[in-house]
Structures are given as C-alpha cells and as structure tokens.
C-alpha cells in the first residue's frame, strides 16, 4: 500500500515539533478523517531557514508532513509556493489515490503559512 519512502518518513519523521518564535504558522485539517497539521516556519531574507511540524493523523499524513519539511527548507518563499500536492506525493514515490486529498495536507499548510506571512508585511 505505501512506498518504502512513506514508511521511512512515517517511522522516522524529520523536523517534528514546535518552533518557538516562528515567523509563520500554517494549520489545516481534514474534517472527513480527522487529519490535522500545524506547520511552523522561520524565514530570513524571504527564505525558509527552519521548519517544523506537528501532525495528528495517519501514516500518509505524517510522511507527507515530514518530506514537505525537507522539500521546503532552504527555498525562497516564491519557490516554496510552487510545491504542490503532486510534488509531495512524487517525492514519496507515490501515495494511494484515496490518500492524495485526505492526508496530503502539507503543501496546503505551507502555502497558507507563506500567504499569511506575506499578508502581514504588505
């Protein structure tokens, strides 16, 4: 059902936890299955320098959150906004079709956090 990469990120999630004094926070959930993701960003010179997450959900929700943090760190805000759900799924060597929308919340949380950050600075 899940790729080896999904299982690796589920069993050994990267960048888990809080990020005190985060510059941006994205929080998103799926009420249909209860998956919740809170993403914290530290931003310097329009670049994501640190990223952490807390996820309540299934293996796919945890794995997508974990790999998203590895994909986004070091990217400019404009580059990070281009990361899509499909990019996250591809980086994990695929997800089951029924997990693409219900558990693949990471890109949406990232975009939400960045847009909130940018909106505060206009």
């Amino acid at each position: 059902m899940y790729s080896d990469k999904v299982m690796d990120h589920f069993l050994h999630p990267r960048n888990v936890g809080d990020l005190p004094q985060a510059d941006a926070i994205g929080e998103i959930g799926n009420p249909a299955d209860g998956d919740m993701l809170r993403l914290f960003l530290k931003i310097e010179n329009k670049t994501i320098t640190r990223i952490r997450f807390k996820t309540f959900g299934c293996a796919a929700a945890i794995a997508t959150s974990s790999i998203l943090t590895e994909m986004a760190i070091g990217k400019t805000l404009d580059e990070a906004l281009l990361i899509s759900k499909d990019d996250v799924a591809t980086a994990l060597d695929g997800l089951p079709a029924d997990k693409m929308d219900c558990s693949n919340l990471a890109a949406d949380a990232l975009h939400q956090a960045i847009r909130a950050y940018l909106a505060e600075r206009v």
Side-chain angles (χ1 to χ4, degrees):
M1 175 174 191
Y2 290 123
S3 71
D4 289 343
K5 274 191 173 178
V6 170
M7 292 308 297
D8 180 45
H9 278 270
F10 168 62
L11 295 172
H12 311 286
R14 285 70 152 177
N15 302 305
V16 175
D18 289 316
L19 185 56
Q21 301 177 340
D23 295 311
I25 298 173
E27 186 172 273
I28 196 158
N30 182 337
D33 65 5
D35 288 342
M36 295 289 302
L37 167 61
R38 182 173 247 200
L39 195 66
F40 307 91
L41 306 178
K42 190 71 181 167
I43 299 166
E44 296 175 22
N45 299 320
K46 297 183 179 181
T47 299
I48 299 170
T49 58
R50 295 187 66 203
I51 185 167
R52 299 282 218 182
F53 76 94
K54 286 185 167 181
T55 296
F56 179 83
C58 67
I62 293 168
T64 56
S65 302
S66 174
I67 201 156
L68 181 278
T69 64
E70 291 188 332
M71 295 170 71
I73 198 160
K75 291 210 176 344
T76 67
L77 298 180
D78 289 340
E79 291 169 337
L81 283 170
L82 296 176
I83 297 172
S84 70
K85 286 184 175 185
D86 286 339
D87 295 332
V88 173
T90 299
L92 288 169
D93 294 336
L95 287 172
D98 63 337
K99 296 296 182 182
M100 276 299 292
D101 288 327
C102 76
S103 300
N104 191 358
L105 305 171
D108 291 343
L110 176 65
H111 298 168
Q112 181 188 75
I114 292 170
R115 288 189 179 110
Y117 174 82
L118 293 172
E120 290 177 7
R121 277 140 186 89
V122 174

Coordinates of all heavy atoms in Angstrom, one line a residue, residues 11-93:
L11 N 7.9 6.3 10.0 CA 8.6 5.7 11.2 C 9.7 6.6 11.7 O 10.0 6.5 12.9 CB 9.2 4.4 10.8 CG 8.1 3.3 10.5 CD1 8.8 2.1 9.9 CD2 7.3 3.0 11.7
H12 N 10.3 7.5 10.9 CA 11.4 8.4 11.3 C 11.1 9.8 10.8 O 11.9 10.3 9.9 CB 12.7 7.9 10.7 CG 12.9 6.4 11.0 ND1 13.2 5.9 12.2 CD2 12.8 5.3 10.2 CE1 13.4 4.6 12.1 NE2 13.1 4.2 10.9
P13 N 10.0 10.4 11.2 CA 9.7 11.8 10.7 C 10.8 12.8 11.0 O 11.4 12.8 12.1 CB 8.4 12.1 11.4 CG 8.3 11.2 12.6 CD 9.1 10.0 12.3
R14 N 11.0 13.6 10.0 CA 12.0 14.7 10.2 C 11.4 16.0 10.6 O 10.2 16.3 10.1 CB 12.8 14.9 8.9 CG 13.8 13.9 8.5 CD 13.2 12.6 8.1 NE 14.0 11.8 7.2 CZ 13.6 10.6 6.8 NH1 12.5 10.0 7.2 NH2 14.4 9.9 5.9
N15 N 12.1 16.8 11.4 CA 11.6 18.2 11.7 C 10.3 18.2 12.5 O 9.5 19.1 12.2 CB 11.6 19.0 10.4 CG 12.9 19.1 9.7 OD1 13.9 19.4 10.3 ND2 12.9 18.7 8.5
V16 N 10.1 17.3 13.4 CA 8.9 17.3 14.2 C 9.0 18.2 15.4 O 10.1 18.3 16.0 CB 8.6 15.8 14.7 CG1 7.4 15.8 15.6 CG2 8.4 14.9 13.5
G17 N 8.0 18.9 15.7 CA 7.9 19.6 17.0 C 7.6 21.1 16.8 O 7.1 21.5 15.7
D18 N 7.7 21.8 17.8 CA 7.4 23.3 17.8 C 8.6 24.0 17.3 O 9.7 23.6 17.3 CB 7.1 23.7 19.2 CG 5.7 23.2 19.7 OD1 4.8 23.2 18.9 OD2 5.7 22.8 20.9
L19 N 8.3 25.2 16.9 CA 9.4 26.2 16.5 C 9.0 27.5 17.2 O 8.3 28.3 16.7 CB 9.4 26.4 15.0 CG 10.6 27.2 14.4 CD1 11.9 26.7 14.9 CD2 10.5 27.2 12.9
P20 N 9.6 27.6 18.4 CA 9.3 28.9 19.2 C 9.7 30.1 18.3 O 10.7 30.1 17.6 CB 10.2 28.8 20.4 CG 10.5 27.3 20.6 CD 10.5 26.8 19.2
Q21 N 8.9 31.1 18.4 CA 9.1 32.4 17.7 C 9.1 32.2 16.2 O 9.9 32.8 15.5 CB 10.4 33.1 18.2 CG 10.4 33.4 19.6 CD 11.7 34.0 20.1 OE1 12.7 33.9 19.5 NE2 11.6 34.6 21.3
A22 N 8.2 31.3 15.7 CA 8.1 31.1 14.3 C 7.6 32.4 13.7 O 6.8 33.2 14.3 CB 7.0 30.0 14.1
D23 N 8.0 32.6 12.5 CA 7.6 33.8 11.7 C 6.3 33.6 11.0 O 5.6 34.5 10.7 CB 8.7 34.1 10.6 CG 10.0 34.6 11.3 OD1 9.9 35.4 12.2 OD2 11.0 34.0 10.9
A24 N 5.9 32.3 10.8 CA 4.7 32.0 10.1 C 4.2 30.6 10.6 O 5.0 29.7 10.8 CB 4.8 32.0 8.6
I25 N 2.9 30.5 10.7 CA 2.3 29.2 11.0 C 1.1 28.9 10.1 O 0.3 29.8 9.8 CB 1.7 29.2 12.5 CG1 2.9 29.5 13.5 CG2 1.0 27.9 12.8 CD1 2.4 29.7 14.9
G26 N 1.1 27.7 9.6 CA 0.0 27.2 8.7 C -0.7 26.1 9.4 O 0.0 25.2 10.0
E27 N -2.0 26.1 9.5 CA -2.7 25.0 10.2 C -3.9 24.6 9.3 O -4.6 25.5 8.8 CB -3.2 25.4 11.5 CG -3.8 24.3 12.3 CD -4.1 24.7 13.7 OE1 -3.3 24.6 14.6 OE2 -5.3 25.2 14.0
I28 N -4.0 23.3 9.0 CA -5.0 22.8 8.1 C -5.4 21.5 8.6 O -4.6 20.7 9.2 CB -4.5 22.9 6.7 CG1 -5.7 22.7 5.7 CG2 -3.5 21.8 6.4 CD1 -5.3 23.3 4.3
G29 N -6.7 21.1 8.3 CA -7.2 19.8 8.7 C -8.2 19.3 7.7 O -8.7 20.1 6.9
N30 N -8.5 18.1 7.8 CA -9.5 17.4 7.0 C -10.5 16.9 7.9 O -10.3 15.8 8.6 CB -8.8 16.3 6.2 CG -9.8 15.7 5.3 OD1 -11.0 15.7 5.5 ND2 -9.4 15.0 4.2
P31 N -11.7 17.5 8.0 CA -12.7 17.1 9.0 C -13.3 15.7 8.6 O -13.8 15.0 9.5 CB -13.8 18.2 8.9 CG -13.4 19.0 7.7 CD -12.0 18.7 7.3
A32 N -13.1 15.3 7.4 CA -13.7 14.0 7.0 C -13.0 12.8 7.7 O -13.6 11.9 8.1 CB -13.6 13.8 5.5
D33 N -11.6 12.9 7.9 CA -10.9 11.8 8.5 C -10.2 12.2 9.8 O -9.5 11.4 10.4 CB -10.0 11.1 7.5 CG -8.9 12.0 7.0 OD1 -8.8 13.1 7.5 OD2 -8.1 11.6 6.2
G34 N -10.2 13.5 10.1 CA -9.6 14.0 11.3 C -8.1 14.3 11.3 O -7.5 14.7 12.3
D35 N -7.4 14.2 10.1 CA -6.0 14.6 10.0 C -5.9 16.1 10.2 O -6.6 16.9 9.7 CB -5.5 14.2 8.6 CG -5.3 12.7 8.4 OD1 -5.3 12.0 9.4 OD2 -5.2 12.3 7.2
M36 N -4.9 16.4 11.0 CA -4.6 17.8 11.3 C -3.1 18.1 11.2 O -2.3 17.2 11.6 CB -5.0 18.2 12.8 CG -6.5 18.1 13.0 SD -7.4 19.4 12.2 CE -6.7 20.9 12.9
L37 N -2.7 19.2 10.7 CA -1.3 19.6 10.5 C -1.1 21.0 10.9 O -1.8 21.9 10.5 CB -0.9 19.4 9.0 CG 0.5 20.0 8.6 CD1 1.6 19.4 9.4 CD2 0.7 19.8 7.1
R38 N -0.1 21.2 11.7 CA 0.4 22.6 12.1 C 1.8 22.7 11.7 O 2.6 21.9 12.1 CB 0.2 22.8 13.6 CG 0.6 24.2 14.0 CD 0.2 24.5 15.4 NE -0.8 25.5 15.4 CZ -1.1 26.2 16.4 NH1 -0.5 26.0 17.5 NH2 -2.0 27.1 16.3
L39 N 2.1 23.7 10.9 CA 3.4 23.9 10.3 C 4.0 25.2 10.7 O 3.3 26.2 10.7 CB 3.3 23.8 8.7 CG 4.5 23.7 7.9 CD1 5.1 22.3 8.1 CD2 4.1 23.9 6.4
F40 N 5.3 25.2 11.2 CA 5.9 26.4 11.7 C 7.1 26.7 10.8 O 7.9 25.9 10.5 CB 6.5 26.2 13.1 CG 5.4 25.6 14.1 CD1 5.3 24.3 14.2 CD2 4.7 26.5 14.8 CE1 4.3 23.8 15.1 CE2 3.7 26.0 15.7 CZ 3.5 24.6 15.9
L41 N 7.2 28.0 10.4 CA 8.3 28.4 9.6 C 9.2 29.5 10.2 O 8.6 30.5 10.8 CB 7.8 29.0 8.2 CG 6.8 28.2 7.4 CD1 6.4 29.0 6.2 CD2 7.5 26.9 7.0
K42 N 10.5 29.5 10.0 CA 11.4 30.6 10.4 C 11.9 31.1 9.0 O 12.4 30.3 8.2 CB 12.5 30.1 11.2 CG 13.4 31.2 11.8 CD 12.6 31.9 12.9 CE 13.4 33.1 13.4 NZ 12.6 34.0 14.2
I43 N 11.7 32.4 8.8 CA 12.0 33.0 7.5 C 13.0 34.1 7.7 O 12.9 35.0 8.5 CB 10.7 33.5 6.9 CG1 9.7 32.4 6.7 CG2 11.0 34.2 5.6 CD1 8.3 32.8 6.4
E44 N 14.1 34.0 6.9 CA 15.1 35.1 6.8 C 15.4 35.4 5.4 O 15.6 34.6 4.6 CB 16.4 34.6 7.5 CG 16.1 34.3 9.0 CD 17.4 33.7 9.7 OE1 18.5 33.9 9.2 OE2 17.2 33.1 10.7
N45 N 15.3 36.7 5.1 CA 15.6 37.2 3.7 C 14.7 36.5 2.7 O 15.3 36.0 1.7 CB 17.1 37.1 3.4 CG 18.0 37.9 4.3 OD1 17.6 39.0 4.6 ND2 19.1 37.4 4.7
K46 N 13.5 36.3 3.0 CA 12.5 35.7 2.1 C 12.8 34.2 1.8 O 12.5 33.7 0.8 CB 12.3 36.4 0.8 CG 11.7 37.8 1.1 CD 11.5 38.5 -0.2 CE 10.9 39.9 0.1 NZ 10.6 40.7 -1.2
T47 N 13.6 33.6 2.7 CA 14.0 32.2 2.5 C 13.6 31.4 3.8 O 13.8 31.9 4.9 CB 15.5 32.1 2.3 OG1 15.8 32.8 1.1 CG2 15.9 30.6 2.2
I48 N 13.1 30.2 3.6 CA 12.7 29.3 4.8 C 14.0 28.7 5.3 O 14.7 27.9 4.7 CB 11.7 28.3 4.3 CG1 10.4 28.9 3.8 CG2 11.4 27.3 5.5 CD1 9.5 27.9 3.1
T49 N 14.3 29.1 6.6 CA 15.6 28.7 7.2 C 15.4 27.5 8.1 O 16.3 26.7 8.4 CB 16.3 29.8 7.9 OG1 15.5 30.4 8.9 CG2 16.7 30.9 6.9
R50 N 14.2 27.5 8.7 CA 13.8 26.4 9.6 C 12.4 26.1 9.4 O 11.6 26.9 9.2 CB 14.1 26.7 11.1 CG 15.6 26.9 11.4 CD 15.9 27.1 12.8 NE 15.6 25.9 13.5 CZ 15.4 25.8 14.8 NH1 15.4 26.9 15.6 NH2 15.1 24.6 15.4
I51 N 12.0 24.8 9.7 CA 10.6 24.4 9.5 C 10.4 23.2 10.4 O 11.2 22.3 10.5 CB 10.3 24.1 8.0 CG1 8.8 23.7 7.8 CG2 11.2 23.0 7.5 CD1 8.4 23.7 6.3
R52 N 9.3 23.2 11.1 CA 8.9 22.1 12.0 C 7.4 21.9 11.8 O 6.6 22.7 11.3 CB 9.1 22.5 13.5 CG 10.5 22.8 13.8 CD 11.2 21.6 14.0 NE 12.2 21.7 15.1 CZ 13.0 20.8 15.4 NH1 13.0 19.6 14.8 NH2 13.8 20.9 16.4
F53 N 7.0 20.7 12.2 CA 5.5 20.4 12.1 C 5.1 19.5 13.2 O 5.9 18.8 13.9 CB 5.2 19.7 10.8 CG 5.7 18.2 10.7 CD1 4.7 17.2 11.1 CD2 6.9 17.8 10.4 CE1 5.1 15.9 11.0 CE2 7.3 16.5 10.4 CZ 6.4 15.5 10.7
K54 N 3.7 19.5 13.4 CA 3.0 18.6 14.3 C 1.8 18.1 13.5 O 1.1 18.9 13.0 CB 2.6 19.3 15.6 CG 3.6 19.6 16.6 CD 3.0 20.2 17.8 CE 4.0 20.3 18.9 NZ 3.4 20.8 20.2
T55 N 1.7 16.8 13.4 CA 0.6 16.2 12.7 C -0.1 15.2 13.5 O 0.5 14.4 14.2 CB 1.2 15.5 11.4 OG1 1.7 16.5 10.5 CG2 0.1 14.8 10.7
F56 N -1.4 15.3 13.5 CA -2.2 14.3 14.1 C -2.9 13.6 12.9 O -3.7 14.2 12.2 CB -3.3 14.9 15.0 CG -4.2 13.9 15.6 CD1 -3.8 13.2 16.8 CD2 -5.5 13.7 15.1 CE1 -4.7 12.3 17.3 CE2 -6.3 12.7 15.6 CZ -5.9 12.0 16.8
G57 N -2.6 12.3 12.7 CA -3.2 11.7 11.5 C -2.5 10.3 11.2 O -1.7 9.8 12.0
C58 N -2.8 9.8 10.0 CA -2.4 8.5 9.6 C -0.9 8.5 9.1 O -0.3 9.6 9.1 CB -3.3 8.0 8.5 SG -3.2 8.9 7.0
A59 N -0.4 7.4 8.7 CA 0.9 7.3 8.2 C 1.2 8.2 7.0 O 2.2 8.9 7.0 CB 1.2 5.8 7.7
A60 N 0.2 8.4 6.1 CA 0.4 9.2 5.0 C 0.5 10.7 5.4 O 1.3 11.5 4.9 CB -0.7 9.0 4.0
A61 N -0.3 11.1 6.4 CA -0.3 12.5 6.8 C 1.0 12.8 7.5 O 1.6 13.9 7.3 CB -1.5 12.7 7.8
I62 N 1.6 11.9 8.3 CA 2.9 12.1 8.9 C 4.0 12.2 7.9 O 4.9 13.0 7.9 CB 3.1 11.1 10.0 CG1 2.1 11.3 11.1 CG2 4.5 11.1 10.5 CD1 2.0 10.2 12.1
A63 N 3.9 11.2 6.9 CA 5.0 11.1 5.9 C 5.0 12.4 5.0 O 6.0 12.9 4.7 CB 4.8 9.9 5.1
T64 N 3.8 12.8 4.6 CA 3.8 14.0 3.7 C 4.2 15.2 4.5 O 4.9 16.1 3.9 CB 2.3 14.2 3.1 OG1 1.4 14.3 4.2 CG2 1.9 13.1 2.2
S65 N 3.9 15.3 5.7 CA 4.4 16.5 6.5 C 5.9 16.5 6.6 O 6.6 17.5 6.5 CB 3.8 16.4 7.9 OG 2.4 16.4 7.9
S66 N 6.5 15.3 6.9 CA 7.9 15.1 7.1 C 8.7 15.5 5.8 O 9.6 16.3 5.8 CB 8.2 13.7 7.5 OG 9.6 13.5 7.6
I67 N 8.3 14.9 4.7 CA 9.0 15.1 3.5 C 8.8 16.6 3.0 O 9.7 17.2 2.4 CB 8.7 14.1 2.4 CG1 9.8 14.1 1.4 CG2 7.4 14.4 1.7 CD1 10.0 12.8 0.6
L68 N 7.7 17.2 3.2 CA 7.5 18.6 2.9 C 8.5 19.5 3.6 O 9.0 20.4 2.9 CB 6.0 19.0 3.2 CG 5.6 20.4 2.9 CD1 5.9 21.4 3.9 CD2 5.8 20.8 1.5
T69 N 8.8 19.2 4.8 CA 9.8 20.0 5.5 C 11.1 19.9 4.8 O 11.8 20.9 4.7 CB 9.9 19.6 7.0 OG1 10.4 18.3 7.1 CG2 8.6 19.7 7.7
E70 N 11.5 18.7 4.4 CA 12.8 18.6 3.7 C 12.7 19.3 2.3 O 13.8 19.8 1.8 CB 13.1 17.1 3.5 CG 13.5 16.4 4.8 CD 14.0 15.0 4.6 OE1 13.6 14.4 3.6 OE2 14.8 14.6 5.4
M71 N 11.6 19.3 1.7 CA 11.5 19.9 0.3 C 11.5 21.5 0.5 O 12.0 22.1 -0.4 CB 10.2 19.5 -0.3 CG 10.1 18.0 -0.7 SD 8.5 17.5 -1.2 CE 8.4 18.3 -2.8
A72 N 11.0 22.0 1.5 CA 10.8 23.5 1.6 C 12.0 24.2 2.3 O 12.2 25.4 1.9 CB 9.5 23.8 2.5
I73 N 12.7 23.5 3.1 CA 13.8 24.2 3.8 C 14.9 24.7 2.8 O 15.2 23.9 1.8 CB 14.4 23.3 4.9 CG1 15.2 24.2 5.8 CG2 15.3 22.2 4.3 CD1 15.5 23.6 7.2
G74 N 15.3 25.9 2.9 CA 16.3 26.5 2.0 C 15.7 27.1 0.8 O 16.4 27.8 0.0
K75 N 14.4 27.0 0.6 CA 13.7 27.6 -0.6 C 13.3 29.0 -0.3 O 12.9 29.3 0.9 CB 12.5 26.7 -1.0 CG 12.9 25.4 -1.6 CD 11.9 24.9 -2.6 CE 12.2 23.6 -3.3 NZ 13.5 23.0 -3.3
T76 N 13.3 29.8 -1.3 CA 12.7 31.1 -1.2 C 11.2 30.9 -1.0 O 10.6 29.9 -1.4 CB 13.0 32.1 -2.4 OG1 12.3 31.5 -3.5 CG2 14.4 32.2 -2.6
L77 N 10.5 32.0 -0.6 CA 9.0 31.9 -0.4 C 8.4 31.6 -1.8 O 7.4 30.8 -1.9 CB 8.5 33.2 0.2 CG 9.0 33.4 1.6 CD1 8.4 34.7 2.2 CD2 8.8 32.2 2.6
D78 N 8.9 32.3 -2.8 CA 8.3 32.1 -4.2 C 8.5 30.6 -4.6 O 7.6 30.0 -5.2 CB 8.9 33.0 -5.2 CG 8.4 34.5 -5.0 OD1 7.4 34.7 -4.3 OD2 9.1 35.4 -5.5
E79 N 9.7 30.1 -4.4 CA 9.9 28.7 -4.7 C 9.1 27.7 -3.9 O 8.5 26.8 -4.5 CB 11.4 28.3 -4.5 CG 12.4 29.0 -5.4 CD 13.8 28.9 -5.0 OE1 14.1 28.6 -3.8 OE2 14.7 29.0 -5.9
A80 N 8.9 28.0 -2.6 CA 8.1 27.1 -1.8 C 6.6 27.1 -2.2 O 5.9 26.1 -2.1 CB 8.3 27.5 -0.3
L81 N 6.2 28.3 -2.7 CA 4.8 28.4 -3.1 C 4.5 27.5 -4.3 O 3.3 27.2 -4.6 CB 4.4 29.8 -3.4 CG 4.1 30.7 -2.2 CD1 4.0 32.1 -2.6 CD2 2.8 30.2 -1.5
L82 N 5.5 27.1 -5.0 CA 5.4 26.2 -6.2 C 5.3 24.7 -5.9 O 5.0 23.9 -6.7 CB 6.5 26.5 -7.2 CG 6.6 27.9 -7.8 CD1 7.8 28.0 -8.7 CD2 5.3 28.2 -8.6
I83 N 5.6 24.4 -4.6 CA 5.5 23.0 -4.2 C 4.0 22.6 -4.2 O 3.2 23.2 -3.5 CB 6.1 22.7 -2.8 CG1 7.6 23.1 -2.9 CG2 5.9 21.3 -2.4 CD1 8.3 23.1 -1.5
S84 N 3.7 21.5 -4.9 CA 2.3 21.1 -5.0 C 2.1 19.8 -4.2 O 3.0 19.1 -3.9 CB 1.9 20.9 -6.4 OG 2.5 19.8 -7.0
K85 N 0.8 19.4 -4.1 CA 0.5 18.1 -3.5 C 1.1 17.0 -4.4 O 1.6 16.0 -3.8 CB -1.0 17.9 -3.4 CG -1.7 18.7 -2.3 CD -3.2 18.3 -2.3 CE -3.8 19.0 -1.1 NZ -5.2 18.6 -0.9
D86 N 1.0 17.2 -5.7 CA 1.6 16.1 -6.6 C 3.1 16.0 -6.4 O 3.7 14.9 -6.4 CB 1.3 16.5 -8.0 CG -0.1 16.2 -8.4 OD1 -0.8 15.4 -7.7 OD2 -0.6 16.8 -9.4
D87 N 3.8 17.2 -6.1 CA 5.3 17.2 -5.9 C 5.6 16.4 -4.6 O 6.5 15.6 -4.6 CB 5.8 18.6 -5.7 CG 5.7 19.4 -7.0 OD1 5.7 18.8 -8.1 OD2 5.6 20.6 -6.9
V88 N 4.7 16.6 -3.6 CA 4.9 15.9 -2.3 C 4.7 14.4 -2.5 O 5.5 13.6 -2.1 CB 4.0 16.4 -1.2 CG1 4.0 15.6 0.0 CG2 4.3 17.9 -0.9
A89 N 3.7 14.0 -3.2 CA 3.4 12.6 -3.5 C 4.5 12.0 -4.3 O 4.9 10.8 -4.0 CB 2.1 12.4 -4.2
T90 N 5.0 12.7 -5.3 CA 6.1 12.2 -6.1 C 7.3 12.0 -5.3 O 8.0 11.0 -5.5 CB 6.3 13.1 -7.3 OG1 5.1 13.2 -8.1 CG2 7.5 12.7 -8.2
A91 N 7.6 12.9 -4.4 CA 8.8 12.8 -3.6 C 8.8 11.6 -2.7 O 9.8 11.0 -2.3 CB 9.0 14.1 -2.8
L92 N 7.6 11.1 -2.4 CA 7.4 9.9 -1.6 C 7.2 8.6 -2.4 O 6.9 7.6 -1.9 CB 6.2 10.1 -0.7 CG 6.3 11.1 0.5 CD1 5.0 11.3 1.1 CD2 7.3 10.5 1.5
D93 N 7.5 8.8 -3.7 CA 7.3 7.6 -4.6 C 5.9 7.2 -4.7 O 5.6 6.0 -4.9 CB 8.2 6.4 -4.2 CG 9.7 6.7 -4.4 OD1 10.1 7.7 -5.2 OD2 10.5 6.1 -3.7

